[in-house]
Amino acid sequence: MSEEQTEQLTGYERIAAYLKLLDSSPGVYRMLDAESRVLYVGKARNLRNRVSNYSRPGNHSGRIARMISETASMMFLTTRTETEALLLEQNLIKQLKPRYNVLLRDDKSFPNVLVTDHPYPMVKKHRGAKKEKGEYFGPFASAGAVNRTLSQLQRVFLLRNCTDSVFEARTRPCLQYQIKRCTAPCVGYISEADYAKSVKDAANFLSGKTKEIQESLAEQMMEASEAMEFERAAAMRDRIKALTQVQTAQGINPRTVAEADVIGLHIENGQACVQVFFVRANQNWGNHDFYPRISGEEDASEVMEAFVGQFYSDREPPRQIILSHGLDNPDLMAEALCEKAKRKVEVVVPQRGEKAELVEGALRNAKESLARRMSESATQAKLLRGIAEAFDLDEAPQRIEVYDNSHIQGTNAVGAMIVAGAEGLMKSQYRKFNIKGDALTPGDDFGMMKEVLTRRFSRLLKEDPERTSGTWPDLLLIDGGAGQVSAVQEILDELGVEGVDMVGVAKGEFRDHGKEEFYRTGEKPFALQRNDPVLYFIQRLRDEAHRFAIGTHRAKRAKSFVANPLDEIAGIGPTRKRALLAHFGSAKAVSRANLADLKAVDGISAAMAETIYGHFHEGR
């Protein structure tokens, strides 16, 4: 058979043609369709043996059989060990999102508590890469869990939560000191040594050493009482009381599990829910649910192994991972996690004891969360069918995009896009657009909408012209009447976009909810019954788009309010900025100052003065 004939094969024959090119090395393989789209990514201890399983008809599941029939080519990458293959496989799955792999869709980062590296450390919430110097505690399941913990730390240990620039600029205590949430280190009301002790106590609390802290506070209270320092003794008493309340509020915490992620999986009706409980320092730091994409033909061990691999591909694993279902390759997964963490990581499936009770709780939450999601999905599907019927669409839309603008007399203008689909609001798909058109007339809503939609669909045409990624909308909801609909249709026609339905939503008389009119190209406007669930749904979508647009605009406006031209100059930190503002009174006055006046400012060297002068006068 010629090489050209081989390339035209698909399915079992095409896969079999690769066998003579493979050896027994470990590695990763990719299966691609006729359009070179990745169908599946897999790992193998022995590439030749693994691929040979796909080369002959056999006891394949329906999902695997379909995947094989669509395979037109394969790609291979050998590795030194099977562990390396596992790590590479999970990275490629997250990057390529193949259709036939179990896929973790909600890939969010989890927040931590950071105690900064400073003589008087700040305690704050941190999300993302751990680049800032300091001590990290976490992860926490949600921002709410972190905020509650930070509030507890302030009540018990009286640590500051202000930024370093605010801390250095204070000349008198702030409100936090007045309400007994801070010891005012900014103005020297507490020594560095005493503050450091409070920070150490807070770190011990986050590490689970609450008993030692209570004993220390009780000892300090007794010492203060014996010395007749009753005000300090009362303060210690209040801190002990607050700590007791914190421990009570935390609920049930495991006694025998110091650091672990408890992962429970429930599969029902072709859908899966994974609950992850974060246990750190013998404390339950919250839980989060995930809904991996599955076909419904995978068994629990396959789903669990895919989830664990992808979940920890860009996260540091804890010392113990407690699972509700076993893995096909538990030793390999443990070895890969140990290699990633550079320490021992234990993967266990408990059968009895406290760990089994934790798993039971995770499973119960997974089952309840999936039941709620399935109920919501059924309701959502009914609403989408109602939209198709109300607007005479060929089929129920699977992705609805709603657009809105926000500005004040044209300033800080932003466009906003929200997305809704079969699973409700898809907040990870929301997008904001900073309006860049310099030629726009302030307040030109048509011009803003044109810029937003042009940028949106130009990108779609460039990145996904075949419309295979699921990011193309089926329906656009536009805030406006016939004029807006006509303008948007012109934009789509200019770009050559077809097959996207559009509806304009115009507010009714007196902007009254329930009297909205709907506009479609070439049709008369119409309304829906006031009690129609579809009308309520559209109102919610429009209000959500409006909320998102206003929130984005306010954030941009707030940023512009606090922006200072001096912040743009390299080498100007808080100290030099304060010196300049104290000398000249405002950033505008600094921009008008001559070189000699700049050199006269304390702390501003001749070279820095020239840098500042050049920043404001270059090109004039």
Side-chain angles (χ1 to χ4, degrees):
M1 186 180 293
S2 68
E3 184 176 342
E4 182 178 350
Q5 289 175 317
T6 300
E7 291 181 354
Q8 292 176 351
L9 294 174
T10 59
Y12 296 105
E13 295 85 357
R14 183 71 182 105
I15 295 172
Y18 284 104
L19 291 177
K20 60 185 177 182
L21 305 174
L22 298 174
D23 57 21
S24 59
S25 300
V28 172
Y29 58 92
R30 279 176 271 182
M31 307 174 83
L32 296 85
D33 65 11
E35 301 295 327
S36 296
R37 293 180 295 241
V38 179
L39 298 171
Y40 184 79
V41 175
K43 69 175 185 310
R45 178 184 303 172
N46 182 316
L47 278 172
R48 180 178 174 81
N49 290 348
R50 186 74 185 92
V51 173
S52 69
N53 292 335
Y54 296 117
S55 66
R56 53 185 180 273
N59 297 322
H60 298 301
S61 66
R63 175 176 68 103
I64 299 301
R66 288 193 300 273
M67 178 184 74
I68 292 173
S69 68
E70 294 176 30
T71 299
S73 62
M74 295 185 72
M75 295 176 65
F76 305 93
L77 182 62
T78 60
T79 59
R80 291 177 300 173
T81 64
E82 189 181 4
T83 301
E84 286 186 6
L86 173 61
L87 295 172
L88 178 59
E89 175 201 33
Q90 300 306 332
N91 286 334
L92 287 174
I93 290 172
K94 293 188 75 169
Q95 176 186 340
L96 300 173
K97 297 178 172 55
R99 188 192 319 167
Y100 287 100
N101 282 96
V102 175
L103 183 64
L104 173 58
R105 293 181 289 187
D106 187 357
D107 186 23
K108 66 175 288 182
S109 63
F110 292 96
N112 291 267
V113 168
L114 169 61
V115 180
T116 62
D117 184 17
H118 190 276
Y120 292 94
M122 169 191 178
V123 181
K124 66 177 183 177
K125 177 173 62 181
H126 178 90
R127 192 191 290 271
K130 298 178 180 179
K131 295 181 179 179
E132 189 173 347
K133 289 184 179 180
E135 192 172 4
Y136 291 86
F137 298 90
F140 289 80
S142 64
V146 172
N147 292 336
R148 285 192 297 273
T149 300
L150 290 175
S151 178
Q152 293 162 2
L153 291 174
Q154 281 188 275
R155 287 170 55 203
V156 178
F157 305 106
L158 313 183
L159 303 179
R160 72 178 179 96
N161 64 353
C162 57
T163 63
D164 290 348
S165 58
V166 170
F167 175 82
E168 292 168 6
R170 294 297 306 182
T171 57
R172 58 180 181 177
C174 66
L175 180 62
Q176 293 295 312
Y177 173 77
Q178 304 296 336
I179 63 174
K180 294 182 173 54
R181 293 294 182 93
C182 181
T183 49
C186 53
V187 292
Y189 281 17
I190 184 173
S191 69
E192 187 174 333
D194 288 341
Y195 190 85
K197 189 177 185 309
S198 294
V199 172
K200 184 179 179 181
D201 285 343
N204 286 336
F205 168 76
L206 291 169
S207 301
K209 300 174 182 177
T210 54
K211 183 178 179 181
E212 292 89 333
I213 298 169
Q214 280 186 311
E215 290 175 352
S216 175
L217 290 175
E219 186 177 331
Q220 293 177 55
M221 181 179 70
M222 292 300 296
E223 289 176 357
S225 179
E226 290 172 1
M228 292 194 292
E229 297 177 4
F230 299 117
E231 187 173 343
R232 187 163 73 92
M236 292 297 159
R237 179 204 61 203
D238 293 342
R239 291 171 68 178
I240 292 171
K241 187 183 296 183
L243 184 60
T244 302
Q245 290 174 348
V246 166
Q247 291 172 301
T248 303
Q250 284 176 340
I252 299 174
N253 294 318
R255 299 179 304 277
T256 60
V257 180
E259 178 184 329
D261 285 349
V262 183
I263 302 177
L265 166 66
H266 181 73
I267 301 176
E268 185 177 341
N269 294 333
Q271 298 186 52
C273 176
V274 178
Q275 279 280 341
V276 182
F277 281 75
F278 301 97
V279 177
R280 299 295 185 273
N282 295 98
Q283 301 174 43
N284 185 347
W285 282 359
N287 63 298
H288 190 81
D289 50 359
F290 299 87
Y291 301 91
R293 186 192 71 192
I294 66 173
S295 68
E297 298 177 17
E298 303 90 344
D299 58 26
S301 61
E302 182 180 355
V303 176
M304 182 65 84
E305 184 166 293
F307 176 85
V308 171
Q310 293 174 47
F311 186 70
Y312 294 110
S313 65
D314 55 1
R315 296 182 178 91
E316 182 178 348
R319 297 186 183 278
Q320 195 170 67
I321 299 174
I322 304 174
L323 305 178
S324 62
H325 296 79
L327 308 179
D328 290 334
N329 302 285
D331 295 338
L332 177 64
M333 182 64 72
E335 183 181 344
L337 295 173
C338 290
E339 184 173 313
K340 178 177 178 59
K342 308 301 181 187
R343 54 172 167 75
K344 184 178 179 181
V345 176
E346 187 181 8
V347 180
V348 298
V349 183
Q351 301 300 317
R352 62 182 67 84
E354 187 177 42
K355 293 176 184 176
E357 292 174 7
L358 290 172
V359 166
E360 185 180 346
L363 280 171
R364 183 174 61 255
N365 277 270
K367 183 177 182 179
E368 292 172 354
S369 295
L370 185 58
R372 287 192 297 269
R373 184 180 177 88
M374 291 168 64
S375 176
E376 292 167 0
S377 296
T379 302
Q380 188 74 4
K382 185 176 180 180
L383 287 171
L384 294 176
R385 290 194 298 270
I387 281 183
E389 183 178 342
F391 299 136
D392 195 25
L393 307 181
D394 292 336
E395 57 184 2
Q398 296 305 302
R399 182 184 174 100
I400 303 173
E401 293 184 357
V402 191
Y403 293 86
D404 199 1
N405 299 323
S406 184
H407 59 89
I408 294 180
Q409 296 180 342
T411 62
N412 297 310
V414 296
M417 175 189 86
I418 71 155
V419 183
E423 298 175 356
L425 295 174
M426 303 162 64
K427 294 193 175 183
S428 63
Q429 300 289 307
Y430 286 17
R431 295 293 180 268
K432 58 185 178 183
F433 302 84
N434 288 315
I435 304 299
K436 301 175 181 177
D438 296 329
L440 290 177
T441 303
D444 181 4
D445 286 330
F446 283 105
M448 293 179 195
M449 185 61 69
K450 181 174 183 179
E451 178 179 329
V452 168
L453 290 172
T454 300
R455 286 164 57 185
R456 168 65 178 154
F457 283 94
S458 296
R459 184 166 184 172
L460 282 175
L461 290 167
K462 179 182 178 181
E463 296 182 352
D464 186 25
E466 301 298 327
R467 306 191 185 191
T468 58
S469 66
T471 56
W472 276 81
D474 302 308
L475 175 66
L476 302 182
L477 289 183
I478 307 299
D479 187 18
Q484 280 87 346
V485 169
S486 177
V488 171
Q489 189 61 57
E490 288 180 14
I491 297 167
L492 299 181
D493 291 342
E494 287 177 13
L495 295 171
V497 175
E498 298 179 348
V500 177
D501 290 301
M502 175 178 50
V503 175
V505 185
K507 297 180 178 67
E509 188 179 2
F510 307 117
R511 306 179 73 84
D512 183 19
H513 266 49
K515 294 186 177 180
E516 287 85 355
E517 288 190 330
F518 299 95
Y519 292 80
R520 295 199 68 194
T521 304
E523 298 181 9
K524 293 182 178 180
F526 62 95
L528 297 174
Q529 295 292 327
R530 291 184 72 107
N531 61 350
D532 192 330
V534 172
L535 176 61
Y536 296 148
F537 180 51
I538 293 172
Q539 288 171 348
R540 290 202 307 273
L541 294 180
R542 186 190 61 196
D543 292 345
E544 172 67 4
H546 193 54
R547 178 202 65 78
F548 184 58
I550 288 178
T552 303
H553 166 71
R554 285 175 176 167
K556 184 177 181 181
R557 192 172 78 233
K559 189 175 181 180
S560 69
F561 281 161
V562 300
N564 191 310
L566 299 179
D567 294 330
E568 301 172 8
I569 306 173
I572 297 294
T575 303
R576 284 175 172 159
K577 184 164 73 171
R578 280 200 305 274
L580 288 166
L581 294 175
H583 187 91
F584 292 103
S586 68
K588 194 170 188 179
V590 175
S591 70
R592 294 173 177 172
N594 59 40
L595 191 56
D597 289 338
L598 290 169
K599 290 179 179 179
V601 179
D602 289 338
I604 302 298
S605 65
M608 180 53 66
E610 290 178 3
T611 300
I612 297 169
Y613 186 83
H615 176 81
F616 289 114
H617 296 82
E618 193 175 76
R620 291 189 180 180

